[in-house]
Amino acid sequence: MTKTAYPLDPESLLISTEAARDIGAGYAESYQSAGPYNHICIDNFLPEDIVERVREDLTELPEAVSSFERAQENLKSSYVPERLPAFTKSLFYAFNSRPFLQFLEEMTGITGLIPDPYFMGAGIHKTLNGGHLDIHADFNLHKKMNLERRLNVLIYLNKNWQEDWGGSFEIWDKQMTRKEASFVPTYNRMVCFSTGSDTFHGNPEPVNHPDGEPRQSIALYYYTATWDASRKSHTTLFKPRPGSVDETDRRVARRAFVQDILPPMVYRRIVGPLSRLGF
């Protein structure tokens, strides 16, 4: 039997804090030495029983909390844990628990990690054939909790996925000149990476499964209480790949321009009405 990287008990979804910390420490050098920004790919991450139960739960998904059909993010839907069946919902809460936080802190060297009880943008992500997510840097501020976004964790649920079926996760250099790494979103593979305003990543090649199966993943985000008033918040920053047909997100560019030229109080008063007008 293949050894599991993070051996949660399949029934209780528990692991001791000490064991989780030791596992994280074993990956610390690999994670913290990776460039162009810290990241890691770990195969056979969870016990197979857990992944199979999640896949079974996802055969009947509830209504999506968000869906995207635009140039930068197409045919992608997100499902929040509270609407999912009991087992998968409990698994998400296990990922917000102390042992998993200790695993992440030891691996990444980032202390004081805070999970997101609201799962903003997180949950189950599903991308249909033809769908994609262009290269981008993520939003950097959790506005409800006033926290700085620091880590993303992705766990893929796709059996026997092949590279030519699209949907591979790509890491780009901070100048957006070249692709530095690519990971096929195959079954039980976990990718974790640090986030910032220049940690560009995505899955820009459209999903193209021969039987029409979607690309599915668990997505988790973690934060620290390190935000201060000197920082400038931003939404998702999409960046076209050089020589590609990727489109610039002109709406975000317009907002950034207005934010730069207006006093903060004036900007806050007008951004709501402008958003409703599609600005």
Side-chain angles (χ1 to χ4, degrees), residues 47-117:
E48 189 171 345
D49 288 352
I50 290 178
V51 183
E52 284 302 305
R53 290 188 66 177
V54 172
R55 283 172 52 87
E56 183 178 348
D57 279 352
L58 301 189
T59 57
E60 294 186 13
L61 283 168
E63 181 181 357
V65 69
S66 62
S67 296
F68 299 92
E69 292 188 23
R70 61 187 185 122
Q72 294 78 26
E73 190 172 8
N74 192 34
L75 299 178
K76 177 187 169 186
S77 298
S78 179
Y79 302 84
V80 292
E82 66 189 54
R83 297 183 182 178
L84 297 173
F87 180 83
T88 299
K89 179 165 57 177
S90 296
L91 179 61
F92 273 94
Y93 294 144
F95 288 137
N96 274 10
S97 67
R98 182 185 180 193
F100 198 69
L101 294 178
Q102 292 285 288
F103 160 74
L104 292 174
E105 289 187 353
E106 289 291 333
M107 180 173 70
T108 66
I110 301 172
T111 59
L113 285 175
I114 301 171
D116 180 11

Coordinates of all heavy atoms in Angstrom, one line a residue, residues 47-117:
P47 N -5.2 9.6 3.1 CA -5.6 8.3 2.9 C -6.6 8.2 1.8 O -7.5 9.0 1.7 CB -6.2 7.9 4.3 CG -5.5 8.8 5.2 CD -5.3 10.1 4.5
E48 N -6.5 7.1 1.0 CA -7.4 7.0 -0.2 C -8.9 6.9 0.2 O -9.7 7.4 -0.5 CB -7.0 5.8 -1.0 CG -7.7 5.7 -2.4 CD -7.1 4.6 -3.3 OE1 -6.0 4.1 -3.0 OE2 -7.8 4.2 -4.2
D49 N -9.1 6.3 1.4 CA -10.5 6.2 1.8 C -11.2 7.5 1.9 O -12.4 7.7 1.6 CB -10.6 5.5 3.2 CG -10.3 4.0 3.1 OD1 -10.2 3.5 1.9 OD2 -10.2 3.3 4.1
I50 N -10.4 8.5 2.4 CA -10.9 9.9 2.6 C -11.2 10.5 1.2 O -12.3 11.1 1.0 CB -9.9 10.7 3.4 CG1 -9.9 10.3 4.8 CG2 -10.3 12.2 3.3 CD1 -8.9 11.0 5.7
V51 N -10.3 10.4 0.3 CA -10.5 11.0 -1.0 C -11.7 10.3 -1.8 O -12.5 11.0 -2.4 CB -9.2 10.9 -1.9 CG1 -9.4 11.6 -3.2 CG2 -8.0 11.5 -1.1
E52 N -11.8 9.0 -1.6 CA -12.9 8.4 -2.3 C -14.3 8.8 -1.7 O -15.3 8.9 -2.4 CB -12.8 6.8 -2.1 CG -11.7 6.3 -3.1 CD -12.1 6.6 -4.5 OE1 -13.2 6.2 -5.0 OE2 -11.2 7.1 -5.2
R53 N -14.4 9.0 -0.4 CA -15.6 9.4 0.2 C -16.0 10.9 -0.2 O -17.1 11.2 -0.4 CB -15.5 9.4 1.7 CG -15.5 7.9 2.2 CD -15.7 7.8 3.7 NE -17.0 8.3 4.2 CZ -17.3 8.3 5.5 NH1 -16.5 7.8 6.4 NH2 -18.5 8.7 5.9
V54 N -14.9 11.7 -0.4 CA -15.2 13.0 -0.9 C -15.7 13.0 -2.4 O -16.7 13.6 -2.7 CB -13.9 13.9 -0.9 CG1 -14.1 15.2 -1.6 CG2 -13.5 14.2 0.6
R55 N -15.1 12.2 -3.2 CA -15.5 12.0 -4.6 C -17.0 11.5 -4.6 O -17.8 12.0 -5.5 CB -14.6 11.1 -5.3 CG -13.3 11.7 -5.7 CD -12.3 10.7 -6.3 NE -12.9 9.9 -7.3 CZ -12.9 10.2 -8.6 NH1 -12.4 11.3 -9.0 NH2 -13.5 9.4 -9.6
E56 N -17.3 10.6 -3.7 CA -18.7 10.1 -3.7 C -19.7 11.2 -3.3 O -20.8 11.4 -3.9 CB -18.8 8.9 -2.7 CG -20.2 8.3 -2.6 CD -20.2 7.1 -1.7 OE1 -19.2 6.7 -1.2 OE2 -21.4 6.7 -1.4
D57 N -19.3 12.0 -2.3 CA -20.1 13.2 -1.9 C -20.4 14.1 -3.0 O -21.4 14.7 -3.1 CB -19.4 13.9 -0.8 CG -19.7 13.3 0.6 OD1 -20.5 12.3 0.7 OD2 -19.1 13.8 1.6
L58 N -19.4 14.3 -3.9 CA -19.5 15.3 -5.0 C -20.3 14.8 -6.2 O -20.4 15.6 -7.2 CB -18.1 15.7 -5.4 CG -17.2 16.3 -4.3 CD1 -15.9 16.9 -4.9 CD2 -17.9 17.3 -3.5
T59 N -20.8 13.6 -6.1 CA -21.6 13.2 -7.3 C -23.0 13.9 -7.3 O -23.6 14.0 -8.3 CB -21.9 11.6 -7.2 OG1 -22.5 11.3 -5.9 CG2 -20.6 10.9 -7.3
E60 N -23.4 14.5 -6.2 CA -24.6 15.3 -6.1 C -24.3 16.6 -5.4 O -24.4 16.7 -4.2 CB -25.7 14.5 -5.4 CG -26.2 13.3 -6.1 CD -27.4 12.7 -5.5 OE1 -28.0 13.3 -4.6 OE2 -27.7 11.5 -5.8
L61 N -23.8 17.6 -6.2 CA -23.4 18.9 -5.6 C -24.6 19.8 -5.4 O -25.6 19.8 -6.2 CB -22.4 19.5 -6.5 CG -21.0 19.0 -6.4 CD1 -20.1 19.5 -7.5 CD2 -20.4 19.4 -5.0
P62 N -24.6 20.6 -4.4 CA -25.7 21.6 -4.2 C -25.5 22.8 -5.2 O -24.6 22.7 -6.1 CB -25.5 22.1 -2.8 CG -24.0 22.0 -2.6 CD -23.6 20.7 -3.4
E63 N -26.3 23.8 -5.1 CA -26.1 25.0 -5.9 C -24.8 25.6 -5.6 O -24.4 25.8 -4.5 CB -27.3 25.9 -5.7 CG -27.2 27.2 -6.5 CD -28.3 28.2 -6.2 OE1 -29.2 27.8 -5.4 OE2 -28.3 29.3 -6.8
A64 N -24.1 26.1 -6.6 CA -22.8 26.7 -6.5 C -23.0 28.1 -5.8 O -24.0 28.8 -6.0 CB -22.1 26.9 -7.8
V65 N -22.0 28.4 -4.9 CA -22.1 29.7 -4.3 C -21.6 30.8 -5.3 O -21.9 32.0 -5.2 CB -21.2 29.8 -3.0 CG1 -19.7 29.6 -3.3 CG2 -21.5 31.0 -2.2
S66 N -20.7 30.4 -6.2 CA -20.3 31.3 -7.3 C -19.9 30.6 -8.5 O -19.5 29.4 -8.4 CB -19.1 32.2 -6.8 OG -18.0 31.3 -6.5
S67 N -20.1 31.2 -9.7 CA -19.8 30.6 -10.9 C -19.2 31.7 -11.8 O -19.6 32.9 -11.7 CB -21.0 30.0 -11.6 OG -21.5 28.9 -10.9
F68 N -18.2 31.4 -12.7 CA -17.6 32.4 -13.5 C -17.6 32.0 -15.0 O -17.3 30.8 -15.3 CB -16.1 32.5 -13.1 CG -16.0 33.0 -11.6 CD1 -15.8 32.0 -10.6 CD2 -16.0 34.3 -11.3 CE1 -15.7 32.4 -9.3 CE2 -15.8 34.7 -10.0 CZ -15.7 33.8 -9.0
E69 N -18.0 32.9 -15.8 CA -18.0 32.7 -17.2 C -17.5 34.1 -17.8 O -18.3 34.9 -18.3 CB -19.4 32.3 -17.8 CG -19.8 31.0 -17.3 CD -21.1 30.5 -18.0 OE1 -21.4 31.0 -19.1 OE2 -21.8 29.7 -17.4
R70 N -16.2 34.2 -17.8 CA -15.6 35.4 -18.4 C -14.3 35.1 -19.0 O -13.8 33.9 -18.8 CB -15.5 36.6 -17.4 CG -14.7 36.3 -16.2 CD -14.8 37.5 -15.2 NE -13.9 37.3 -14.1 CZ -12.9 38.2 -13.8 NH1 -12.8 39.3 -14.5 NH2 -12.2 38.0 -12.7
A71 N -13.6 36.0 -19.6 CA -12.4 35.7 -20.4 C -11.3 35.1 -19.4 O -10.6 34.2 -19.8 CB -11.9 36.9 -21.1
Q72 N -11.2 35.7 -18.2 CA -10.1 35.3 -17.3 C -10.4 34.0 -16.5 O -9.5 33.3 -16.1 CB -9.7 36.4 -16.4 CG -9.2 37.7 -17.0 CD -10.2 38.5 -17.7 OE1 -11.4 38.5 -17.3 NE2 -9.8 39.3 -18.7
E73 N -11.6 33.7 -16.3 CA -12.0 32.6 -15.4 C -13.3 32.1 -16.0 O -14.4 32.7 -15.8 CB -12.2 33.2 -14.0 CG -12.4 32.1 -12.9 CD -12.3 32.7 -11.5 OE1 -12.3 34.0 -11.4 OE2 -12.3 31.9 -10.6
N74 N -13.3 30.9 -16.6 CA -14.5 30.4 -17.4 C -14.9 29.0 -17.0 O -14.0 28.2 -16.7 CB -14.1 30.5 -18.9 CG -15.4 30.3 -19.7 OD1 -16.5 30.7 -19.4 ND2 -15.2 29.6 -20.8
L75 N -16.2 28.9 -16.9 CA -16.8 27.5 -16.6 C -16.3 26.9 -15.3 O -16.1 25.7 -15.2 CB -16.5 26.6 -17.7 CG -17.1 27.0 -19.1 CD1 -16.8 26.0 -20.2 CD2 -18.7 27.2 -19.0
K76 N -16.1 27.8 -14.3 CA -15.6 27.4 -13.0 C -16.6 27.7 -11.9 O -17.2 28.8 -11.9 CB -14.2 28.1 -12.6 CG -13.7 27.7 -11.3 CD -12.5 28.6 -10.9 CE -12.2 28.4 -9.4 NZ -11.1 29.3 -9.0
S77 N -16.9 26.8 -11.0 CA -17.8 27.0 -10.0 C -17.2 26.6 -8.6 O -16.3 25.8 -8.5 CB -19.1 26.1 -10.2 OG -19.8 26.5 -11.3
S78 N -17.7 27.3 -7.6 CA -17.2 27.0 -6.2 C -18.3 26.7 -5.3 O -19.4 27.3 -5.4 CB -16.5 28.3 -5.7 OG -16.0 28.1 -4.4
Y79 N -18.1 25.7 -4.4 CA -19.1 25.2 -3.5 C -18.6 25.3 -2.1 O -17.6 24.7 -1.7 CB -19.4 23.7 -3.8 CG -19.9 23.5 -5.3 CD1 -19.0 23.4 -6.3 CD2 -21.3 23.5 -5.6 CE1 -19.4 23.3 -7.6 CE2 -21.7 23.4 -6.9 CZ -20.8 23.2 -7.9 OH -21.2 23.1 -9.2
V80 N -19.3 26.0 -1.2 CA -18.9 26.2 0.2 C -19.1 25.0 1.0 O -20.1 24.2 0.8 CB -19.6 27.4 0.8 CG1 -19.1 28.7 0.2 CG2 -21.1 27.3 0.8
P81 N -18.3 24.7 2.0 CA -18.4 23.4 2.8 C -19.7 23.3 3.5 O -20.2 22.1 3.6 CB -17.2 23.6 3.8 CG -16.2 24.4 3.0 CD -17.0 25.4 2.3
E82 N -20.3 24.3 4.0 CA -21.5 24.2 4.8 C -22.7 23.6 4.0 O -23.6 23.1 4.6 CB -21.9 25.5 5.4 CG -22.4 26.6 4.3 CD -22.6 27.9 4.9 OE1 -21.6 28.5 5.5 OE2 -23.7 28.5 4.7
R83 N -22.6 23.7 2.6 CA -23.7 23.1 1.8 C -23.4 21.7 1.3 O -24.2 21.1 0.7 CB -23.9 24.0 0.6 CG -24.4 25.4 0.9 CD -24.6 26.2 -0.4 NE -25.0 27.6 -0.1 CZ -25.3 28.5 -1.1 NH1 -25.1 28.1 -2.3 NH2 -25.6 29.7 -0.7
L84 N -22.2 21.2 1.7 CA -21.8 19.9 1.2 C -22.2 18.8 2.2 O -22.5 19.0 3.3 CB -20.3 19.8 1.0 CG -19.7 20.8 0.0 CD1 -18.2 20.8 0.0 CD2 -20.2 20.5 -1.4
P85 N -22.2 17.5 1.7 CA -22.6 16.4 2.6 C -21.7 16.3 3.8 O -20.5 16.9 3.9 CB -22.4 15.2 1.7 CG -22.6 15.7 0.3 CD -22.1 17.1 0.3
A86 N -22.1 15.6 4.9 CA -21.5 15.7 6.2 C -20.0 15.3 6.2 O -19.2 16.0 6.9 CB -22.3 14.8 7.2
F87 N -19.7 14.3 5.5 CA -18.3 13.9 5.6 C -17.3 14.9 5.0 O -16.3 15.3 5.7 CB -18.1 12.5 4.9 CG -16.6 12.1 4.9 CD1 -16.2 11.3 6.0 CD2 -15.7 12.3 3.9 CE1 -14.9 10.9 6.1 CE2 -14.4 11.9 4.0 CZ -14.0 11.2 5.1
T88 N -17.6 15.4 3.8 CA -16.8 16.4 3.2 C -16.8 17.7 4.0 O -15.7 18.4 4.2 CB -17.2 16.7 1.8 OG1 -17.1 15.4 1.0 CG2 -16.3 17.7 1.1
K89 N -17.9 18.1 4.6 CA -18.0 19.3 5.4 C -17.1 19.1 6.6 O -16.3 20.0 7.0 CB -19.4 19.5 5.8 CG -19.6 20.7 6.8 CD -21.0 21.2 6.9 CE -21.9 20.0 7.3 NZ -23.3 20.5 7.5
S90 N -17.1 17.9 7.3 CA -16.2 17.7 8.4 C -14.8 17.7 8.1 O -13.9 18.1 8.8 CB -16.6 16.3 9.1 OG -17.9 16.3 9.6
L91 N -14.4 17.3 6.9 CA -13.0 17.3 6.4 C -12.5 18.7 6.3 O -11.4 19.0 6.7 CB -12.9 16.6 5.1 CG -11.5 16.5 4.4 CD1 -10.5 15.8 5.4 CD2 -11.5 15.9 3.1
F92 N -13.4 19.6 5.8 CA -13.0 21.0 5.7 C -12.7 21.6 7.1 O -11.7 22.3 7.3 CB -14.0 21.8 5.0 CG -13.8 21.9 3.5 CD1 -14.5 21.0 2.7 CD2 -13.0 22.8 2.9 CE1 -14.3 21.0 1.3 CE2 -12.8 22.8 1.6 CZ -13.5 21.9 0.8
Y93 N -13.5 21.2 8.1 CA -13.3 21.7 9.5 C -12.0 21.1 10.0 O -11.3 21.7 10.8 CB -14.4 21.3 10.4 CG -15.7 22.1 10.0 CD1 -17.0 21.5 10.1 CD2 -15.6 23.4 9.5 CE1 -18.1 22.2 9.7 CE2 -16.8 24.1 9.1 CZ -18.0 23.5 9.2 OH -19.2 24.1 8.8
A94 N -11.6 19.8 9.6 CA -10.4 19.3 10.0 C -9.2 20.0 9.5 O -8.1 20.2 10.1 CB -10.3 17.8 9.6
F95 N -9.4 20.6 8.3 CA -8.3 21.4 7.7 C -8.2 22.8 8.3 O -7.2 23.5 8.1 CB -8.5 21.6 6.2 CG -8.3 20.3 5.4 CD1 -9.2 20.0 4.4 CD2 -7.2 19.5 5.6 CE1 -9.0 18.8 3.6 CE2 -7.0 18.4 4.9 CZ -7.8 18.0 3.9
N96 N -9.2 23.2 9.1 CA -9.1 24.4 9.9 C -8.7 24.2 11.3 O -8.7 25.1 12.1 CB -10.4 25.1 9.9 CG -10.6 26.0 8.6 OD1 -9.8 25.9 7.7 ND2 -11.6 26.8 8.6
S97 N -8.3 23.0 11.7 CA -8.0 22.6 13.1 C -6.5 22.9 13.4 O -5.7 23.0 12.5 CB -8.3 21.1 13.3 OG -7.5 20.3 12.6
R98 N -6.2 22.8 14.7 CA -4.9 23.0 15.2 C -3.8 22.1 14.5 O -2.7 22.6 14.1 CB -4.8 22.9 16.7 CG -3.4 23.2 17.3 CD -3.4 23.0 18.8 NE -2.0 23.3 19.3 CZ -1.6 23.0 20.5 NH1 -2.4 22.3 21.3 NH2 -0.4 23.3 20.8
P99 N -4.0 20.8 14.4 CA -3.0 19.9 13.9 C -2.6 20.3 12.4 O -1.4 20.4 12.1 CB -3.6 18.5 13.9 CG -4.6 18.6 15.0 CD -5.1 20.0 15.0
F100 N -3.6 20.7 11.6 CA -3.3 21.0 10.2 C -2.6 22.4 10.2 O -1.6 22.6 9.4 CB -4.5 21.1 9.3 CG -4.2 21.0 7.9 CD1 -3.7 19.8 7.3 CD2 -4.4 22.1 7.0 CE1 -3.4 19.8 5.9 CE2 -4.1 22.0 5.7 CZ -3.6 20.9 5.1
L101 N -2.9 23.3 11.0 CA -2.2 24.6 11.1 C -0.8 24.4 11.5 O 0.1 25.0 11.0 CB -2.9 25.5 12.1 CG -4.3 26.0 11.7 CD1 -4.9 26.9 12.8 CD2 -4.3 26.7 10.4
Q102 N -0.6 23.4 12.5 CA 0.8 23.2 12.9 C 1.6 22.5 11.8 O 2.8 22.8 11.6 CB 0.8 22.2 14.2 CG 0.2 22.9 15.4 CD 1.2 23.8 16.0 OE1 2.2 23.5 16.6 NE2 0.9 25.1 15.9
F103 N 1.0 21.6 11.1 CA 1.6 21.0 9.9 C 2.1 22.1 8.9 O 3.2 22.2 8.5 CB 0.7 20.1 9.2 CG 1.0 19.8 7.8 CD1 2.1 18.9 7.4 CD2 0.3 20.3 6.7 CE1 2.4 18.6 6.1 CE2 0.6 20.0 5.4 CZ 1.6 19.2 5.1
L104 N 1.2 23.1 8.6 CA 1.5 24.1 7.7 C 2.6 25.1 8.2 O 3.5 25.5 7.5 CB 0.2 24.9 7.3 CG -0.8 24.2 6.5 CD1 -2.1 25.0 6.4 CD2 -0.3 23.8 5.1
E105 N 2.5 25.4 9.5 CA 3.5 26.3 10.1 C 4.9 25.7 10.0 O 5.8 26.4 9.7 CB 3.1 26.7 11.5 CG 1.8 27.6 11.5 CD 1.5 28.1 12.9 OE1 2.2 27.7 13.9 OE2 0.7 29.0 13.0
E106 N 5.0 24.4 10.4 CA 6.3 23.8 10.4 C 6.9 23.7 9.0 O 8.0 23.9 8.7 CB 6.2 22.4 11.0 CG 6.0 22.4 12.5 CD 7.2 22.9 13.3 OE1 8.3 22.7 12.7 OE2 7.0 23.4 14.4
M107 N 6.0 23.4 8.0 CA 6.5 23.3 6.6 C 6.9 24.6 6.0 O 7.9 24.7 5.3 CB 5.3 22.6 5.8 CG 5.7 22.4 4.3 SD 4.5 21.4 3.4 CE 3.2 22.6 3.3
T108 N 6.0 25.6 6.2 CA 6.3 26.9 5.6 C 7.1 27.9 6.3 O 7.7 28.8 5.7 CB 4.9 27.6 5.3 OG1 4.3 27.9 6.6 CG2 4.0 26.7 4.5
G109 N 7.2 27.7 7.6 CA 8.0 28.7 8.4 C 7.1 29.9 8.8 O 7.6 30.9 9.4
I110 N 5.9 29.9 8.4 CA 5.0 31.0 8.7 C 4.3 30.7 10.0 O 3.5 29.8 10.1 CB 4.0 31.3 7.6 CG1 4.7 31.5 6.2 CG2 3.0 32.4 7.9 CD1 3.8 31.6 5.0
T111 N 4.5 31.6 11.0 CA 3.8 31.3 12.3 C 2.5 32.2 12.4 O 2.3 33.1 11.7 CB 4.8 31.7 13.5 OG1 5.1 33.1 13.3 CG2 6.0 30.8 13.4
G112 N 1.7 31.7 13.3 CA 0.4 32.4 13.6 C -0.6 32.3 12.5 O -1.4 33.3 12.3
L113 N -0.6 31.2 11.8 CA -1.6 31.0 10.7 C -3.0 31.0 11.3 O -3.2 30.4 12.3 CB -1.3 29.7 9.9 CG -0.1 29.8 9.0 CD1 0.1 28.4 8.4 CD2 -0.3 30.8 7.9
I114 N -3.9 31.6 10.5 CA -5.3 31.7 10.9 C -6.2 31.1 9.8 O -6.1 31.5 8.7 CB -5.7 33.1 11.2 CG1 -4.9 33.7 12.3 CG2 -7.2 33.2 11.6 CD1 -5.1 35.2 12.5
P115 N -7.0 30.1 10.1 CA -7.9 29.5 9.1 C -9.1 30.5 8.9 O -9.3 31.4 9.7 CB -8.4 28.2 9.7 CG -8.4 28.5 11.2 CD -7.2 29.4 11.5
D116 N -9.8 30.3 7.8 CA -10.9 31.1 7.4 C -12.2 30.4 7.8 O -12.6 29.5 7.0 CB -10.9 31.5 6.0 CG -12.0 32.3 5.5 OD1 -12.7 32.8 6.4 OD2 -12.2 32.5 4.3
P117 N -12.9 30.8 8.8 CA -14.2 30.1 9.1 C -15.3 30.4 8.1 O -16.3 29.7 8.1 CB -14.5 30.7 10.5 CG -13.9 32.0 10.6 CD -12.6 31.9 9.8

